[in-house]
Amino acid sequence: MEHKAIERLMFDYSYHLDMNHPDELAALFVEDCEVSYAPNFGATGMEAYKKTLEGIGTFFSGTSHHNSNISIDFISPAEAEVRSIVLAVHRYVKERPDGILYGQYFDRVVKIDGQWKFKRRELRTTMTTDYHVRASNPIGRAA
Amino acid sequence: MEHKAIERLMFDYSYHLDMNHPDELAALFVEDCEVSYAPNFGATGMEAYKKTLEGIGTFFSGTSHHNSNISIDFISPAEAEVRSIVLAVHRYVKERPDGILYGQYFDRVVKIDGQWKFKRRELRTTMTTDYHVRASNPIGRAA
Amino acid sequence: MEHKAIERLMFDYSYHLDMNHPDELAALFVEDCEVSYAPNFGATGMEAYKKTLEGIGTFFSGTSHHNSNISIDFISPAEAEVRSIVLAVHRYVKERPDGILYGQYFDRVVKIDGQWKFKRRELRTTMTTDYHVRASNPIGRAA
């Protein structure tokens, strides 16, 4: 079922991130992907995206990415918008408290040759605790 | 699929709660809804429920509600009992540590005019950390 | 649907663990189950498994097990491999900080007489905070 396949894409992303598998991560994106983790922290296109993955292995001693609340709206049988949330816990190689990110993902996913991939990933930050990334895309919570 | 539509109801609830959208939240409930967040903290009927939503925007600077373990038992094609758990993190406007709630939701959902809605929501509290709500419905953990 | 039934198995496990229902927990496993929570902390067969469940009620005052990222690969219509992650928060009876486990579950589940059960559960530990179990099966994160 397509729902399950799209959820699996998101779970594989987190799994390979937590396992420090940058090549497997990159393979989950289309060549002309757009990724925004924060203003001035993201990528346009695969080559740029791969650069953002450098350092996962040396900067963190461990991470755990918990995806939930996955809400899928199909635009066509081969394209969908996905809203979800993430709890991401980062343990640093450096001596410092774990960095916690509470965020919302807004993704555009496409099915190509039978495989769902990320065409666009945008992380919006609900809030953080002791997290090393200071800038963030806001969720736009109503005042 | 009905499973997905019911899960989506729960995710929309958390999304609109985290976004401080009280009108969109209320629209997820039937008019004669019953809500119990804790003893003496809940509502019977839509008007009372809307009152419980006042202050989300001014009391919290941010919240993140992570729903998982969603377990659905259909009573009929248009009614179901749902058990799930939530990790809810609350950042206060006031200077104080984040309030964390670990809870179980027991919901009765109904499908009306093609739309699943909450007829009853009961939150049972597994445990909390630095949370502002002191009273709670117990989960009834065996001794 | 089989996916939902397998997810439900995992949610029932966590529910009964958090409710301190050792008999209902054990009923989710086949008689010749294999369970590994850590090196030298696990069980082969139902009788040994039941022994590992002793003390849940007296050691913890509460626990909350949040399962997500459930990824199912069917081997046959009645057997599947399941990868998932867990956020498990443990509140101790003793005065000490909550123990937090961030882990990956690798399960083999089988359908017997119409009911999915655990044949094998292996917990791999991504990282922990203030957790009482010191040994762990590593996730094998790439260096």
Side-chain angles (χ1 to χ4, degrees), chain A residues 48-73:
Chain A
Y49 180 61
K50 283 183 177 172
K51 284 201 174 60
T52 72
L53 300 176
E54 291 170 6
I56 296 173
T58 52
F59 196 67
F60 303 116
S61 64
T63 63
S64 196
H65 287 79
H66 302 254
N67 303 101
S68 62
N69 301 30
I70 299 173
S71 303
I72 302 173
D73 290 314

Side-chain angles (χ1 to χ4, degrees), chain C residues 2 14 20 23 31 33 38 65 78 99 106 115 118 122-123 129 136 140:
Chain C
E2 303 303 337
S14 288
N20 185 26
D23 292 343
E31 278 297 319
C33 58
H65 287 78
F106 285 81
Q115 177 64 48
F118 292 109
E122 180 186 348
L123 174 67
T129 300
S136 68

Side-chain angles (χ1 to χ4, degrees), chain A residues 19-71:
Chain A
M19 294 298 284
N20 185 25
H21 292 163
D23 292 343
E24 288 86 341
L25 267 176
L28 302 176
F29 290 77
V30 299
E31 279 296 321
D32 59 337
C33 59
E34 287 182 76
V35 181
S36 174
Y37 292 120
N40 301 315
F41 177 27
T44 301
M46 177 60 76
E47 286 316 303
Y49 180 61
K50 283 183 177 172
K51 284 201 174 60
T52 72
L53 300 176
E54 291 170 6
I56 296 173
T58 52
F59 196 67
F60 303 116
S61 64
T63 63
S64 196
H65 287 79
H66 302 254
N67 303 101
S68 62
N69 301 30
I70 299 173
S71 303

Side-chain angles (χ1 to χ4, degrees), chain B residues 9 28-35 43 45 79-80 107-112 116-122:
Chain B
L9 171 65
L28 303 176
F29 290 77
V30 298
E31 279 296 319
D32 60 336
C33 59
E34 288 182 76
V35 181
E79 190 157 10
D107 299 311
R108 174 72 65 107
V109 296
V110 292
K111 193 179 186 182
I112 295 178
W116 285 96
K117 297 195 173 190
F118 292 109
K119 184 172 175 55
R120 186 162 49 74
R121 286 222 96 175
E122 180 186 349

Side-chain angles (χ1 to χ4, degrees), chain A residues 95-142:
Chain A
E95 187 78 27
R96 52 176 289 180
D98 290 348
I100 304 179
L101 165 72
Y102 305 95
Q104 299 175 344
Y105 270 116
F106 285 80
D107 299 312
R108 175 72 65 106
V109 297
V110 292
K111 192 178 186 181
I112 295 178
D113 297 335
Q115 177 64 47
W116 286 95
K117 296 196 173 188
F118 292 109
K119 182 172 176 56
R120 186 163 47 77
R121 286 221 96 175
E122 179 186 349
L123 174 68
R124 300 180 191 170
T125 297
T126 305
M127 54 196 183
T128 64
T129 299
D130 297 323
Y131 193 47
H132 65 288
V133 181
R134 293 300 176 184
S136 67
N137 299 317
I139 62 169
R141 185 175 185 265

